[in-house]
DNA sequence: CTGCTTCCTCAAGTGTACTTGAGGTCAAGA
DNA sequence: TCTTGACCTCAAGTACACTTGAGGAAGCAG
């Protein structure tokens, strides 16, 4: 009756991986992964099954938001490190996270706005074919740092602080 | 004098890979890669060296813009396919691209704005800990399609059109 | 007790976007 | 002539964010 799919709980109201996965909208394997990466935490039952404090859901939500923004997990981890996983989570902690994220969002919105401007200007007038277009010749080199894919401008800026290649 | 670093050109004013790389702000290997992926084109000298029409620079610029936005190369390829690589490039072609991109940018800006709103609301009031938060429980499943990483919402939307998990 | 589902671990695979390295060609300058 | 630097190809490596698969244990329903 009260348990069409209310499974294997039988003790606290903590969540199983399956429940977490359903509720957070991610795969079970993703939660395993996040845990292995130190982004979320769980305790184990005697049978070695994971149990999650409901507050971990909040963390997963935040991680997902960040992913939507294209923010790498390493950065997410740093930010989340400010909010202790177990124990007394203060609202202020989350508000701190919110503010950091807001800045990130603002930064990206600004970038998008600038990009749109560039598109309108450069494409509209054809100046992309000329050398003085800021998109055309952003920095005279950008492509020789590090291995693997580079995600978004934030990363480059940290390495050698090359002024924003898309600056007006 | 006029050629402190004006190298191996000796015929047309087309660009070598090295020149392209410098001007576009990418690594030579990246240009090789883009070419292999069908995003840009070159012709070869007798020595089998690549030469690029200057217009290819425009393409690289566009690709880079798209990358900044996190748009996968596959999508970029589709869009660029509208603009023939060699031959008569009409300004209208590029304006078409510009418009598609603009939509993309607008979409993303809207998403960012909504995310910011969610952060302010959910984090500020703590509703992420409740089940009726749209971020908290986006779709009840999202994590079981396809392999590999999923980049951004656009991809999911195409697969099964799950209504935007971040809709208000 | 059988069957089903959920869970566990660990290793390996996947997709995207590149980079790195080995081994070699080609042309111009000291 | 020798060396240097730019170029070539092709295979393999790398980073990120996961997923898949093998092999097995736990727990509840009938």
């Amino acid at each position: 009756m009260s348990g069409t799919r209310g499974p294997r709980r039988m003790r606290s109201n903590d969540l199983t991986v399956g429940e977490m996965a359903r509720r957070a909208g991610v795969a079970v394997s993703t939660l395993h992964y996040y845990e292995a990466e130190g982004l979320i935490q769980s305790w184990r039952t005697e049978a070695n099954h994971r149990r999650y404090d409901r507050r971990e859901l909040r963390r997963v939500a935040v991680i997902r938001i960040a992913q939507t923004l294209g923010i790498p997990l390493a950065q997410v981890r740093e930010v989340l490190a400010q909010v202790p996983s177990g124990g007394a989570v203060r609202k202020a902690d989350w508000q701190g996270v919110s503010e950091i994220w807001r800045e990130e969002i603002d930064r990206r919105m600004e970038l998008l706005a600038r990009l749109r401007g560039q598109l309108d200007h450069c494409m509209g007038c054809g100046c992309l074919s000329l050398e003085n277009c800021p998109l055309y010749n952003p920095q005279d080199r950008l492509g020789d740092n590090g291995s693997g894919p580079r995600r978004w401008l934030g990363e480059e800026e940290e390495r050698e602080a090359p002024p924003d290649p898309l600056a007006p």
Side-chain angles (χ1 to χ4, degrees), chain A:
Chain A
M1 309 250 167
S2 70
T4 306
R5 31 86 150 134
R8 290 142 202 79
R9 231 193 278 90
M10 87 201 161
R11 36 178 75 213
S12 73
N13 61 351
D14 288 342
L15 304 168
T16 66
V17 252
E19 285 164 342
M20 274 285 278
R22 262 189 302 281
R23 307 272 291 270
V26 303
V28 168
S29 61
T30 305
L31 294 176
H32 285 2
Y33 177 71
Y34 286 165
E35 197 173 326
E37 290 294 305
L39 292 154
I40 56 173
Q41 272 189 10
S42 67
W43 57 276
R44 299 298 180 107
T45 65
E46 282 188 4
N48 197 32
H49 286 191
R50 285 169 180 86
R51 286 297 181 276
Y52 295 94
D53 186 299
R54 312 181 80 85
R55 282 171 296 197
E56 293 303 284
L57 259 170
R58 209 189 267 167
R59 295 191 148 239
V60 177
V62 170
I63 296 166
R64 291 272 105 198
I65 295 168
Q67 288 307 98
T68 322
L69 292 172
I71 296 168
L73 286 185
Q75 270 184 55
V76 180
R77 179 168 31 230
E78 276 176 47
V79 174
L80 283 184
Q82 294 185 18
V83 187
S85 211
V89 182
R90 288 162 309 139
K91 198 169 156 184
D93 290 333
W94 281 113
Q95 278 175 341
V97 171
S98 176
E99 250 151 68
I100 295 173
W101 249 230
R102 264 197 71 134
E103 274 170 40
E104 194 58 56
I105 291 172
D106 287 346
R107 241 165 58 82
R108 295 181 142 246
M109 288 192 75
E110 211 191 296
L111 187 60
L112 282 171
R114 221 151 56 224
L115 279 167
R116 194 171 56 184
Q118 296 292 350
L119 277 175
D120 288 349
H121 184 255
C122 293
M123 296 250 179
C125 74
C127 78
L128 268 178
S129 58
L130 298 173
E131 300 178 25
N132 50 6
C133 176
L135 278 176
Y136 182 86
N137 190 11
Q139 258 298 68
D140 241 34
R141 61 174 139 46
L142 254 175
D144 33 63
N145 43 10
S147 176
R150 283 153 292 137
R151 281 310 186 72
W152 51 287
L153 297 175
E155 314 224 1
E156 256 98 5
E157 283 177 358
E158 278 169 24
R159 276 170 215 273
E160 186 148 303
D164 189 341
L166 293 158

